[in-house]
Amino acid sequence: MSLSPSLLRLAAARLRTPSLAAGVASSSPWRLAVGHPRLAVGPVTAAAPAFLARFMASAAAAAPAATPLTLPSGLRSPTDEDIAAFRAMLPTPGSVVTDEDALAPHNTDWMGRFIGRSRVLLKPRSTDEVAAILRHCNEQGIPLVPQGGNTGMVGGSVPVADEVILSLAGMASIEAFDAASGVVTAQAGVVLEALDTYVGERGHRVPLDLGAKGSCQIGGNVATNAGGSRYVRYGSLRASVLGVEAVLPSGEVLAGLTSLRKDNTGYDLKQLMIGGEGTLGVITRVALACPPLSAAVHVTLLKVPSWANAVSLLAAAKGQLAEILSAFEFMDAPAVKLAVTHLSHVRDPLGPDEDAGATDGPFYVLIETAGSSAAHDREKLDTFLESSMESELVTDGVMAESAGQAAAFWELRESLPEAVGKAGTKVFKYDISLPMDAFYRIVTDARALLADAGADADVVGWGHMGDGNLHLNVAARGDVAAVAAALEPWVYEQVAAARGSVSAEHGLGVMKAGAIGYTKDAVSVEVMRGIKALLDPKGILNPLKMLPRVGEEKTA
Ligand code: FAD
Ligand code: MLT
Ligand code: ZN
């Protein structure tokens, strides 16, 4: 099957663009990146720890820090005696950190928006050490914040005051891998990218991928029930996480580290830890089902003239690419423009667009397929691309013909959080689920709202379109307080009216704890409070996160 001449022409011309020529060795513009697993390492992520630290430093300098909050009564700050007790519990050198400079990055969230003032970070090396810490803190009423890679987007991983920071970074062993089932068992502190590399070398892939892969930890991923770009293929982590070991606030260990696929014995307690945002227990080990690595991976970047076309393209991709579709990500043109403007290493392989900034298009769609047969996948993809061009759903496109190009396409997509951070002195981030008919409208409405208010801001949208998950981002300059007043609660009200969710994948943390009531009913919130009270009666774990403070619930 051959491609339509128009797409072939467009793509061939684009693929010869020198700026994107890295790694191109073939004379055929359509020789694909077959045989390459989905590249986990792009320049942004390969350098992630340094990049994150750099970004956090500049963001912290630019953005006003949130005022520390007052902890609920009954909780107290750790004293020098407590710190001495922690030292006795954690004999490995470097396990108790009190140096202010060393603590600074752990007190600051990735956006530089939430800044705590903890004076002690603990780095246990085993589940027993975590249990000893929690027992002590529970007896003494000392609050703690579990911290993974500290890449969370809602301020859940940093103290709101002077809580103890409990880092899982010292528990980073991959303990077992079962080749027959693909189940990997790992301590919570294993970095996602390291886990993916490990199982990749054994013919499998982690069913989760996201831009922070070089820093975030599998325990943090499970605690946030992270979504990411493979969700459209493998679904929620809730199904892939087979077992969780977690330490409860009492210090008791919930020993749920099973690798069983089926287990209907009572309530599924691990689900409380998955997406529990560290409010109910500290995840110490995880058993994760990893699907086989696909032999053939194709990555395509398409330009779509209108939102209606993007919606039709998604339906066509789900229908025609079906089981080989492994990512369907969208970016609006203003978001892409921010990336190429603010990040020198990022290129737009489809070139600048005169229409960028228009209210309804163009849009960029990144489609990845992952299947077992290059020839079969290619045939499906060719048919899909041909019909998309013929029906004018798509006006331009490029298909990666090397691993380097595939990585560059992904880099463009995954660089957007960093780019938006550089574009404003304060970034307002909304991670929302919306039905397709309301999906992009909120971006254009927010743009109009802020333009009417005379705000100096870039309003951009991107996200995991295949899962109905939009990232609405506003990079504001100048009077950011006025921008905040215009956006909130307006955004949450729009989401509630469309029957969406105020948090699709980032969780609630401290940023959105008060907003849960917009899209969750009051009975559900009360049940959640009951579960929290049962497992953490003193409220020591991640206080003021996820659930609203009494009297501060917002409802639609
Ligand atoms: P942290 O940020 O350290 O913690 C997050 C929350 O989990 C906190 O409430 C913390 O207390 C709790 N926690 C951490 N570890 C544990 C543990 N062992 N036990 C109990 N609680 C724990 N998120 C997505 O869902 N999809 C994306 O596509 C995505 N892309 C991102 C891209 C970039 C560039 C960045 C910076 C972030 C992105 N995120 C995304 C957000 C973030 O990376 C995820 O939420 C990630 O899962 C957090 O993992 P972490 O180890 O950094 O956790
Ligand atoms: C993404 O998909 O880019 C992430 O969830 C991060 C973000 O929204 O900034
Ligand atoms: Zn996302």
Side-chain angles (χ1 to χ4, degrees):
M1 168 119 0
S2 65
L3 286 156
S4 81
S6 52
L7 183 58
L8 183 62
R9 180 173 50 73
L10 285 167
R14 298 297 183 191
L15 284 172
R16 283 198 292 269
T17 303
S19 59
L20 201 76
V24 178
S26 164
S27 56
S28 159
W30 288 103
R31 190 181 65 81
L32 305 173
V34 287
H36 293 283
R38 156 85 161 84
L39 291 172
V41 184
V44 168
T45 51
F51 138 66
L52 287 175
R54 216 174 38 246
F55 177 80
M56 278 166 50
S58 62
T67 315
L69 300 169
T70 309
L71 289 170
S73 60
L75 299 178
R76 69 165 175 83
S77 307
T79 60
D80 289 346
E81 288 71 38
D82 296 312
I83 292 172
F86 294 140
R87 287 194 200 285
M89 284 170 213
L90 311 177
T92 310
S95 300
V96 179
V97 179
T98 54
D99 176 74
E100 213 173 305
D101 290 341
L103 278 167
H106 298 275
N107 264 316
T108 311
D109 79 312
W110 190 81
M111 294 298 301
R113 185 166 174 185
F114 299 97
I115 300 176
R117 46 185 165 77
S118 177
R119 53 188 292 255
V120 59
L121 175 139
L122 305 179
K123 231 167 127 184
R125 314 288 156 155
S126 68
T127 302
D128 285 348
E129 289 189 355
V130 174
I133 294 166
L134 284 172
R135 258 195 309 275
H136 177 86
C137 289
N138 197 42
E139 278 163 17
Q140 299 297 323
I142 300 169
L144 299 100
V145 181
Q147 191 175 86
N150 197 14
T151 66
M153 294 262 155
V154 288
S157 52
V158 291
V160 296
D162 62 352
E163 302 94 300
V164 170
I165 301 172
L166 177 57
S167 167
L168 277 298
M171 294 175 61
S173 297
I174 299 174
E175 297 179 332
F177 178 74
D178 185 280
S181 64
V183 176
V184 68
T185 305
Q187 285 185 307
V190 175
V191 169
L192 177 61
E193 189 169 71
L195 192 64
D196 201 40
T197 302
Y198 175 92
V199 301
E201 286 162 0
R202 288 154 184 81
H204 289 257
R205 75 192 319 207
V206 172
L208 167 77
D209 190 25
L210 45 86
K213 61 179 90 64
S215 298
C216 64
Q217 301 173 2
I218 190 63
N221 301 144
V222 173
T224 53
N225 188 28
S229 57
R230 292 179 186 163
Y231 195 106
V232 71
R233 173 67 165 271
Y234 302 113
S236 169
L237 268 185
R238 290 189 184 281
S240 300
V241 174
L242 303 183
V244 168
E245 176 190 84
V247 181
L248 299 177
S250 61
E252 293 165 294
V253 177
L254 202 62
L257 200 67
T258 172
S259 296
L260 301 174
R261 265 207 96 74
K262 299 183 83 173
D263 178 17
N264 267 353
T265 51
Y267 302 124
D268 188 356
L269 296 178
K270 70 174 178 297
Q271 297 298 342
L272 293 176
M273 301 298 149
I274 304 173
E277 300 188 40
T279 62
L280 299 176
V282 178
I283 297 168
T284 44
R285 293 156 87 202
V286 169
L288 185 69
C290 298
L293 205 53
S294 300
V297 174
H298 298 149
V299 182
T300 312
L301 190 68
L302 303 174
K303 196 173 278 187
V304 180
S306 71
W307 181 250
N309 282 22
V311 174
S312 300
L313 190 71
L314 172 61
K318 283 189 168 173
Q320 293 180 41
L321 300 175
E323 79 288 349
I324 62 167
L325 182 66
S326 66
F328 191 105
E329 301 278 312
F330 101 99
M331 308 170 252
D332 67 12
V336 171
K337 197 173 173 186
L338 287 189
V340 296
T341 304
H342 292 283
L343 303 171
S344 57
H345 58 279
V346 174
R347 300 270 179 279
D348 171 4
L350 295 175
D353 200 300
E354 292 307 311
D355 297 336
T359 53
D360 187 21
F363 296 93
Y364 290 65
V365 171
L366 187 159
I367 293 178
E368 184 191 81
T369 63
S372 56
S373 157
H376 166 267
D377 295 1
R378 178 63 197 276
E379 192 179 322
K380 279 186 134 180
L381 202 49
D382 284 355
T383 307
F384 165 72
L385 292 172
E386 194 170 354
S387 66
S388 302
M389 287 297 289
E390 273 166 12
S391 58
E392 297 181 350
L393 288 180
V394 166
T395 52
D396 198 358
V398 276
M399 189 182 290
E401 64 169 14
S402 69
Q405 288 187 343
F409 295 2
W410 273 109
E411 186 184 16
L412 172 62
R413 162 62 185 90
E414 293 182 343
S415 71
L416 299 180
E418 186 190 7
V420 81
K422 288 189 182 296
T425 50
K426 180 153 181 170
V427 180
F428 297 86
K429 295 182 83 68
Y430 302 98
D431 156 46
I432 51 190
S433 273
L434 284 170
M436 271 306 132
D437 57 356
F439 196 82
Y440 194 70
R441 196 172 59 226
I442 195 167
V443 181
T444 52
D445 287 354
R447 229 170 248 153
L449 183 83
L450 292 181
D452 285 351
D456 178 15
D458 292 301
V459 180
V460 302
W462 73 83
H464 315 289
M465 187 176 167
D467 310 307
N469 179 184
L470 170 72
H471 295 311
L472 164 66
N473 281 254
V474 177
R477 299 162 291 269
D479 187 356
V480 296
V483 174
L487 286 172
E488 292 178 28
W490 178 86
V491 170
Y492 296 133
E493 287 166 355
Q494 302 301 305
V495 175
R499 302 183 72 77
S501 169
V502 295
S503 178
E505 61 173 8
H506 294 164
L508 295 162
V510 67
M511 175 185 164
K512 295 192 201 164
I516 186 173
Y518 282 103
T519 55
K520 204 60 118 194
D521 66 284
V523 174
S524 297
V525 175
E526 266 323 289
V527 172
M528 290 185 203
R529 281 197 210 279
I531 292 169
K532 171 75 176 170
L534 176 72
L535 293 184
D536 187 13
K538 292 191 176 175
I540 60 163
L541 259 190
N542 237 352
L544 305 184
K545 311 284 175 61
M546 204 173 91
L547 292 173
R549 280 166 276 175
V550 175
E552 292 192 3
E553 302 91 342
K554 305 283 192 307
T555 50

